[in-house]
Amino acid sequence: MAERIALVDYGAGNLRSVENALRTAGASDVDVTSDPAAVRSADRIVLPGVGAFGACMGALAAIPGMIEAMGEAAIAGGRPFLGICVGMQLLADKGEEHGVHPGLGWIGGGVRLLEPADPVLKVPHMGWNDVTPDRAHALIVPGEAYFLHSYAFDVADSEHRIAATDHGGPVTAAVGRDNILGVQFHPEKSQAYGLAFLTRFLEWRP
């Protein structure tokens, strides 16, 4: 039986592009959903995110039971979970965009403004850049991916940073623990690298 992928719809993600990329990568059953029950029962969960941290967290919290359903599936249930861009950042304890806002707290750390050491480098960090693994991980391999962000995840425990990129200094490109992974880059915009990454996610057995 084909696995069901819950792509969480909370009004803050590039849903159609992510859905299309997941299907191209091999997913046959992608459920774009704002129903906590559908998320709770899914085989895999993808949380996209575009926009400001606080607004995204607020939109997620505004769906009754959604945060609890994600926790039941991913934390209690151990099902593979992928956060993309701001969806990755929401895994943090807090975000500091337009004030301090609490995050999901699944991976310790905070999301702070990017401040490149080289003043020539602009914020947002936009375009293709290297993904350099910090450690071996089933999903993350060296390559180039597409980034678009002004804030970066500063992890509390270096063991939870899976990969970095460089934008006037090291910038977190992927975080993870157990069955949870978040990527700062956009797989749906990262062409062959992104599709290969999503294929690995669909086959991942953490």
Side-chain angles (χ1 to χ4, degrees), residues 74-146:
I75 303 295
R79 268 159 279 164
F81 182 98
L82 173 63
I84 296 173
C85 196
V86 178
M88 173 196 95
Q89 295 179 359
L90 295 181
L91 299 174
D93 294 319
K94 63 179 180 178
E96 299 180 5
E97 187 172 1
H98 308 311
V100 178
H101 307 275
L104 293 170
W106 291 5
I107 293 179
V111 177
R112 299 182 178 88
L113 180 66
L114 261 178
E115 297 181 294
D118 183 347
V120 173
L121 294 172
K122 299 205 172 359
V123 174
H125 170 214
M126 179 170 62
W128 291 86
N129 208 340
D130 292 332
V131 176
T132 304
D134 286 345
R135 67 197 76 259
H137 191 282
L139 301 192
I140 303 294
V141 300
E144 279 194 320
Y146 188 87

Side-chain angles (χ1 to χ4, degrees), residues 4-198:
R4 189 166 59 82
I5 316 302
L7 180 57
V8 182
D9 179 4
Y10 61 112
N14 192 10
L15 290 166
R16 294 304 160 199
S17 295
V18 176
E19 179 188 8
N20 290 340
L22 284 164
R23 292 188 185 282
T24 301
S28 58
D29 187 357
V30 181
D31 185 6
V32 179
T33 183
S34 57
D35 180 3
V39 171
R40 192 178 288 109
S41 63
D43 297 297
R44 296 171 189 269
I45 299 112
V46 178
L47 180 69
V50 175
F53 185 104
C56 287
M57 194 66 197
L60 195 59
I63 303 173
M66 180 58 81
I67 290 174
E68 292 79 6
M70 292 194 319
E72 286 178 36
I75 303 295
R79 268 159 279 164
F81 182 98
L82 173 63
I84 296 173
C85 196
V86 178
M88 173 196 95
Q89 295 179 359
L90 295 181
L91 299 174
D93 294 319
K94 63 179 180 178
E96 299 180 5
E97 187 172 1
H98 308 311
V100 178
H101 307 275
L104 293 170
W106 291 5
I107 293 179
V111 177
R112 299 182 178 88
L113 180 66
L114 261 178
E115 297 181 294
D118 183 347
V120 173
L121 294 172
K122 299 205 172 359
V123 174
H125 170 214
M126 179 170 62
W128 291 86
N129 208 340
D130 292 332
V131 176
T132 304
D134 286 345
R135 67 197 76 259
H137 191 282
L139 301 192
I140 303 294
V141 300
E144 279 194 320
Y146 188 87
F147 292 83
L148 176 56
H149 63 113
S150 299
Y151 286 74
F153 196 143
D154 183 11
V155 294
D157 183 343
S158 62
E159 285 295 312
H160 293 153
R161 195 180 81 175
I162 306 300
T165 188
D166 187 276
H167 191 66
V171 176
T172 299
V175 300
R177 68 176 180 87
D178 308 321
N179 57 301
I180 296 163
L181 186 82
V183 294
Q184 185 62 69
F185 57 85
H186 285 273
E188 76 280 8
K189 296 179 181 179
S190 296
Q191 300 180 7
Y193 180 89
L195 289 176
F197 165 77
L198 290 174

